[in-house]
Amino acid sequence: MNYFELFEIPVSLQVDKNILSKKYVALQKKYHPDFFTQETEYEQADALEKSSQVNKALKIFKSSDETIKYVLQLKGLLEEEEKYQLPPDFLMEVMELNEELSTDSTEQINKLEAEIYQPVKPIIDHFNNDTTTTEDLLKVKEYYYKKKYLQRILDRLEG
């Protein structure tokens, strides 16, 4: 069972936060281990496992980047620790930014992030599990890795 099935919501690159909150509360009421103290050991272990899955799913669904990663993994388009090759022109642009890190860099990186988001925004906004193509999802994958790359630079700046 994947996390979308667990929460009984459609597969999406953007989970509605209001629905997410309501589903989370309902699932916690259903599976919280405190409600299974009088049950068998098996039922207690099962409730603990489901409660843990609910918490992991919530953490993923609260983060747009993690939700994108999760959907790409569900579709078999992204693997853990994958060595993804970013386009050379993007790497050159980021390398130049990296060499000139300053207080203005955060603004430049945020601007670049907005630029790389524009081409995939319609795909993310209108994702449909049945009709969105693999080609479109591969564009989202590239965006995901570019954003991750930019985030590492921002983390260094702030750290």
Side-chain angles (χ1 to χ4, degrees):
M1 171 184 296
N2 71 48
Y3 293 151
F4 291 101
E5 292 167 347
L6 178 63
F7 272 68
E8 297 175 339
I9 57 176
V11 176
S12 175
L13 294 172
Q14 295 179 313
V15 177
D16 182 319
K17 303 298 187 225
N18 293 325
I19 292 172
L20 180 64
S21 179
K22 290 174 186 165
K23 293 284 187 173
Y24 176 75
V25 169
L27 287 167
Q28 278 298 23
K29 285 180 181 174
K30 185 175 180 179
Y31 295 119
H32 197 281
D34 289 351
F35 299 126
F36 290 82
T37 56
Q38 302 300 314
E39 303 302 327
T40 66
E41 211 172 292
Y42 172 79
E43 290 168 320
Q44 288 177 15
D46 187 52
L48 185 62
E49 174 62 27
K50 288 237 172 52
S51 180
S52 173
Q53 287 180 338
V54 167
N55 289 326
K56 286 178 190 172
L58 179 70
K59 185 178 178 188
I60 286 171
F61 291 154
K62 278 186 160 185
S63 163
S64 57
D65 292 340
E66 289 299 312
T67 302
I68 287 171
K69 177 182 176 184
Y70 185 71
V71 170
L72 291 172
Q73 287 174 328
L74 280 179
K75 297 286 187 180
L77 298 173
L78 191 145
E79 296 173 27
E80 212 52 61
E81 304 303 318
E82 181 176 337
K83 303 288 186 236
Y84 187 78
Q85 200 62 39
L86 289 166
D89 58 330
F90 173 78
L91 292 173
M92 287 300 291
E93 186 174 0
V94 171
M95 192 171 77
E96 288 170 16
L97 260 175
N98 214 358
E99 288 172 358
E100 303 165 6
L101 286 182
S102 67
T103 52
D104 297 335
S105 296
T106 300
E107 189 177 313
Q108 288 177 291
I109 292 169
N110 288 335
K111 184 178 175 229
L112 181 56
E113 186 178 315
E115 287 173 20
I116 64 171
Y117 181 67
Q118 281 312 307
V120 296
K121 184 181 184 328
I123 300 167
I124 291 171
D125 287 348
H126 305 293
F127 174 83
N128 179 306
N129 196 40
D130 297 323
T131 59
T132 300
T133 66
T134 299
E135 182 181 335
D136 282 341
L137 287 174
L138 290 173
K139 290 175 188 172
V140 172
K141 178 180 179 176
E142 183 167 298
Y143 159 75
Y144 168 79
Y145 275 105
K146 285 178 177 179
K147 185 171 183 211
K148 194 172 166 182
Y149 200 90
L150 292 173
Q151 188 59 51
R152 280 196 296 261
I153 295 171
L154 283 174
D155 291 346
R156 266 203 330 266
L157 265 173
E158 294 166 4

